[in-house]
Amino acid sequence: MKRVLLLFCAFTRLLGACATQPESEPEISAATTATTTETTTTTETTTTTTTTETTTTTEATTITTTTTTQTTTTEPPTTRPITTTKKPAIYLYPTRPTQVDVTLTLRSGFFSKTIPAYGTGWHVLAQPNGQITNLADGKTYPYLFWEAVERAPWPKAKAGFVVARDDLEGFLREKLAYMGLIPVEYEEFIAFWLPMLSQNAYSLITFAGEEYTARYPLEITPAPDSLLRVFMVARPATGREKIAPQTLEPFTRKGFAAIEWGGALLG
């Protein structure tokens, strides 16, 4: 009887165990769990999208591109060449020691050199022998010297002299003496101008009168009793020019004499 009871109990337990477990549950539960876990993990991954608010502040800024167009007005080459008035020398011969004021006006251009310094004019003490003492610095000079640069053209010569290089020295000495320069003056003129004129085979030479005195007004106080202003205008020539000879006037010194000579080489 006891054996039967034990068998009955074992059978009952067996039935209970079978009822607790499903009959055909596949043995992939662990693998499925793992896969599910991975899927869950992937699904729950928080993608943090950092939204950077790029605030493009579009300011209504009008960018004005200022194009500066420099209009350079290039003047056409002037047809009026630069003229240098060279070495006008002013001699003063009063009858007695005299304080003299000399003022020179340039209608065009500017002084390029003056000896002594011009300033507002020359204020000097002149001697009968021609010696000049500049009151500004106390130095003595044989004459007052000036040069100027300008663009005012000289008129075309209507009369003059076509002079060959070899004839220049004799020509200048003759004409300058006739017009009233004394040896110390015309020899100084020749020494200065002959080397420049000799660079040309021929020179067309005129002596300006009113054209020069109007262009460069000269005021001397006290006024001289006689005033001579000799100014040569020279141009290179070919030797074939046809021009009427210029009529020159002689000059007589008297009393307080003021003498000036100078020139310009054109072309």
Side-chain angles (χ1 to χ4, degrees):
M1 186 66 181
K2 184 184 282 186
R3 181 178 294 179
V4 173
L5 184 58
L6 293 170
L7 290 173
F8 177 76
C9 291
F11 180 74
T12 302
R13 291 177 180 171
L14 181 60
L15 288 176
C18 292
T20 303
Q21 298 179 2
E23 294 183 356
S24 58
E25 186 170 87
E27 295 185 358
I28 56 169
S29 180
T32 301
T33 302
T35 303
T36 301
T37 301
E38 289 177 1
T39 302
T40 300
T41 302
T42 303
T43 302
E44 291 183 356
T45 300
T46 303
T47 305
T48 304
T49 305
T50 305
T51 305
T52 304
E53 292 184 6
T54 305
T55 304
T56 305
T57 305
T58 307
E59 295 181 358
T61 304
T62 304
I63 301 175
T64 305
T65 303
T66 304
T67 304
T68 304
T69 305
Q70 294 183 351
T71 305
T72 304
T73 305
T74 304
E75 296 183 359
T78 179
T79 57
R80 299 187 296 179
I82 293 175
T83 301
T84 301
T85 300
K86 287 186 172 293
K87 202 184 178 179
I90 301 172
Y91 299 80
L92 302 173
Y93 302 101
T95 57
R96 61 181 181 274
T98 305
Q99 185 170 320
V100 181
D101 296 329
V102 180
T103 303
L104 183 69
T105 302
L106 303 187
R107 296 296 191 196
S108 66
F110 56 91
F111 286 119
S112 56
K113 189 175 183 180
T114 62
I115 302 175
Y118 181 76
T120 57
W122 287 297
H123 308 287
V124 302
L125 178 63
Q127 303 292 337
N129 64 359
Q131 179 178 290
I132 296 172
T133 302
N134 183 33
L135 297 180
D137 57 17
K139 295 181 179 180
T140 59
Y141 303 87
Y143 47 74
L144 303 176
F145 170 95
W146 66 276
E147 287 188 340
V149 176
E150 62 173 350
R151 283 190 181 277
W154 283 94
K156 185 177 180 180
K158 296 179 180 180
F161 309 92
V162 177
V163 186
R165 180 190 292 122
D166 294 341
D167 299 330
L168 279 170
E169 186 172 353
F171 166 83
L172 291 174
R173 186 172 284 108
E174 175 192 346
K175 299 303 182 185
L176 295 173
Y178 178 80
M179 287 188 288
L181 297 189
I182 59 177
V184 67
E185 296 162 354
Y186 64 66
E187 291 299 342
E188 185 77 19
F189 184 107
I190 293 171
F192 181 81
W193 280 104
L194 186 60
M196 286 184 282
L197 294 173
S198 296
Q199 294 178 20
N200 305 314
Y202 292 89
S203 296
L204 173 56
I205 296 175
T206 60
F207 294 96
E210 293 182 359
E211 302 94 341
Y212 174 69
T213 57
R215 186 184 295 242
Y216 301 112
L218 178 65
E219 182 177 350
I220 301 175
T221 305
D225 299 305
S226 54
L227 172 65
L228 173 64
R229 304 184 73 186
V230 176
F231 191 82
M232 177 191 70
V233 179
R235 300 172 172 86
T238 62
R240 297 187 298 273
E241 289 80 1
K242 302 297 181 181
I243 189 170
Q246 183 178 7
T247 300
L248 303 177
E249 298 294 334
F251 172 79
T252 301
R253 301 179 187 223
K254 61 180 179 179
F256 173 19
I259 312 297
E260 180 190 43
W261 61 257
L265 182 59
L266 310 182

